[in-house]
Amino acid sequence: MASKAPPSSTEKQRDFFNHLEAYLAKRDGVDKLLKISRYTTKIILSSSALSESHPLTHRLKSFESSVGVSRKAFRLGKFVQDLNALRNSHFESNQELLLALLAYGGEGFYYFVEQFIWLAKSGLIDKRHSSLLQKISAWAELIGYIGSISLKLRDLNRILEDEACLKASTEIAATRGNGHREEEEKMKKLRAKMLMKKLSIVQDFADGFMAVADIHDGHGRFSGPLLISCAGLLSALISTHKNWISC
């Protein structure tokens, strides 16, 4: 039987562009690309790579501000996603229910308030309310991340328990001389899942760190513009990676 020819470079390119099209069709996909652009720009501005008098500095500041407002427009109606996630979840304990309320409720309320911040920045709502709305938004976001990190740590513990069980069954199969290819496949998928869960926790910590800085209006020991911008870029890269894989 003739072996199947490996895919040509043209086919690989076509697959990449199909994948890219699917990625860009997602709201989160475009949002995270904007986030990468914004925080890369903020890193350049906060690193003093350009002087304040440099012509490019003003353009970068204008670009960063414009992208920030554009990202808020992408969040219109996004709170429904958290509402549905909460409705469709099944809880094994009251503690898990409480953490889910914090995670989905906090994030959902954050996205709900962000709609009004966008309207204020766009000029439809009086900008006097913008400061209060941003403070409420930051607190809701932080509460959401506390709940989200707690839930993901619980999930990570379950994955570690599953890994230990699977490792034990693989060792037993190996000593008996039985084939354990299926167990190895399961282990590979489990470790990939574990890696994504760990990356997701790191992302939540980075975003939570920025939320704390927003609550303190950028003041504080760990609220330096460069540090916050690096946290934002890290979060954006992790989220982009997750969205790319899920397409």
Side-chain angles (χ1 to χ4, degrees), residues 174-185:
T175 54
R176 290 177 177 174
N178 299 331
H180 50 276
R181 186 175 296 177
E182 188 179 338
E183 282 81 2
E184 288 176 351
E185 257 329 289

Side-chain angles (χ1 to χ4, degrees), residues 2-194:
S3 60
K4 189 176 180 181
S8 66
S9 59
T10 307
E11 288 173 332
K12 286 180 180 178
Q13 189 179 40
R14 193 181 298 120
D15 287 341
F16 169 78
F17 283 113
N18 285 337
H19 198 157
L20 182 61
E21 181 185 358
Y23 175 83
L24 293 174
K26 295 174 65 175
R27 168 164 50 179
D28 279 349
V30 177
D31 178 50
K32 299 316 173 189
L33 289 180
L34 289 173
K35 189 174 182 179
I36 289 173
S37 302
R38 186 187 182 202
Y39 283 103
T40 300
T41 304
K42 286 172 78 74
I43 287 172
I44 294 170
L45 290 170
S46 58
S47 63
S48 302
L50 298 171
S51 64
E52 282 293 326
S53 58
H54 198 284
L56 189 57
T57 301
H58 175 71
R59 292 183 184 179
L60 288 174
K61 284 182 177 179
S62 178
F63 172 76
E64 184 272 321
S65 177
S66 176
V67 171
V69 176
S70 299
R71 287 193 64 219
K72 292 187 186 303
F74 273 93
R75 295 169 184 171
L76 287 173
K78 198 173 180 182
F79 68 93
V80 178
Q81 177 180 306
D82 291 284
L83 181 62
N84 283 333
L86 189 59
R87 288 174 60 239
N88 298 328
S89 297
H90 301 285
F91 309 108
E92 296 178 0
S93 64
N94 289 333
Q95 184 184 28
E96 197 168 318
L97 171 61
L98 177 61
L99 292 175
L101 285 170
L102 289 175
Y104 297 123
E107 186 180 72
F109 189 62
Y110 158 70
Y111 283 129
F112 182 75
V113 175
E114 281 287 289
Q115 298 175 124
F116 296 98
I117 295 175
W118 172 68
L119 291 174
K121 288 184 177 292
S122 300
L124 188 62
I125 294 177
D126 196 323
K127 290 187 177 181
R128 289 180 302 173
H129 305 297
S130 184
S131 179
L132 176 60
L133 287 169
Q134 285 178 331
K135 188 77 74 174
I136 294 170
S137 169
W139 273 108
E141 186 181 17
L142 180 60
I143 290 168
Y145 286 126
I146 290 171
S148 179
I149 290 168
S150 301
L151 283 175
K152 286 170 184 175
L153 286 173
R154 288 167 66 94
D155 291 341
L156 189 59
N157 285 332
R158 290 192 188 108
I159 294 171
L160 288 170
E161 289 171 4
D162 291 342
E163 183 191 28
C165 292
L166 190 57
K167 195 180 290 184
S169 64
T170 303
E171 289 172 358
I172 292 170
T175 54
R176 290 177 177 174
N178 299 331
H180 50 276
R181 186 175 296 177
E182 188 179 338
E183 282 81 2
E184 288 176 351
E185 257 329 289
K186 286 180 180 177
M187 183 66 76
K188 189 186 293 185
K189 290 179 181 177
L190 202 60
R191 284 176 176 167
K193 185 179 178 181
M194 187 190 304

Side-chain angles (χ1 to χ4, degrees), residues 137-139 141-142 145 206-216 228:
S137 169
W139 273 108
E141 186 181 17
L142 180 60
Y145 286 126
D207 285 326
F209 183 71
M210 290 190 292
V212 171
D214 287 339
I215 289 169
H216 291 97
I228 296 300

